[in-house]
């Protein structure tokens, strides 16, 4: 048990400087990107084909802004009011640079999916 506590403190020993509800949505998206990518990588390597080019292409099908926007559209009916509020906050974000690819999907909303 003591080893588990030590491991948790080593891996997650840095609590946020603020209450998560008060963090900038871009900060939440930054952390959410990492968590989501690890989840997708775990899924991809659970599949039978492990050629590097294949796993990269398969991963990018899930982590692209367009794919995340589609996921958000599917998940939206299942979100709580609090989660929907976070999504709405994200819809007005401007990270300081335009997206590389213009699309009809709201990029700001996708950022909050990652959070």
């Amino acid at each position: 048990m003591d080893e588990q506590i030590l491991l948790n403190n080593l891996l997650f020993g840095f609590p946020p400087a603020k209450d998560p509800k008060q963090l900038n949505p871009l900060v939440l998206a930054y952390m959410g990107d990492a968590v989501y990518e690890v989840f997708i990588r775990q899924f991809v390597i659970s599949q039978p084909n492990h050629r590097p080019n294949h796993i990269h292409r398969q991963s990018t099908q899930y982590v692209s802004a367009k794919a995340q926007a589609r996921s958000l559209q599917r998940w939206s009916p299942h979100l709580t009011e609090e989660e929907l509020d976070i999504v709405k906050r994200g819809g007005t974000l401007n990270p300081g640079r335009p997206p590389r690819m213009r699309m009809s999907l709201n990029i700001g909303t996708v950022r909050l999916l990652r959070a």
Side-chain angles (χ1 to χ4, degrees):
M1 182 67 170
D2 291 332
E3 289 178 17
Q4 185 63 42
I5 292 171
L6 178 62
L7 182 60
N8 285 341
N9 287 337
L10 289 174
L11 293 176
F12 306 106
F14 303 100
K18 299 178 183 178
D19 175 13
K21 291 180 181 179
Q22 305 216 344
L23 288 173
N24 182 316
L26 286 173
V27 173
L28 296 174
Y30 173 75
M31 191 64 187
D33 278 348
V35 172
Y36 187 65
E37 186 162 348
V38 168
F39 172 79
I40 293 301
R41 286 181 182 210
Q42 182 181 7
F43 168 73
V44 168
I45 64 170
S46 74
Q47 306 302 303
N49 189 345
H50 291 158
R51 291 186 319 241
N53 191 39
H54 177 78
I55 61 176
H56 174 72
R57 279 194 322 256
Q58 193 175 7
S59 294
T60 56
Q61 288 178 349
Y62 293 101
V63 298
S64 70
K66 190 173 184 178
Q68 289 183 28
R70 282 193 305 266
S71 292
L72 178 60
Q73 288 173 341
R74 275 182 251 139
W75 277 96
S76 289
H78 307 287
L79 298 178
T80 66
E81 283 300 317
E82 181 180 9
E83 292 163 337
L84 287 170
D85 287 344
I86 293 171
V87 169
K88 289 174 187 172
R89 273 179 43 205
T92 60
L93 292 177
N94 180 1
R97 60 184 170 150
R100 290 182 187 170
M101 181 173 66
R102 293 283 176 200
M103 61 185 84
S104 63
L105 302 169
N106 186 331
I107 299 298
T109 308
V110 173
R111 279 190 213 101
L112 265 293
L113 168 66
R114 298 181 299 202

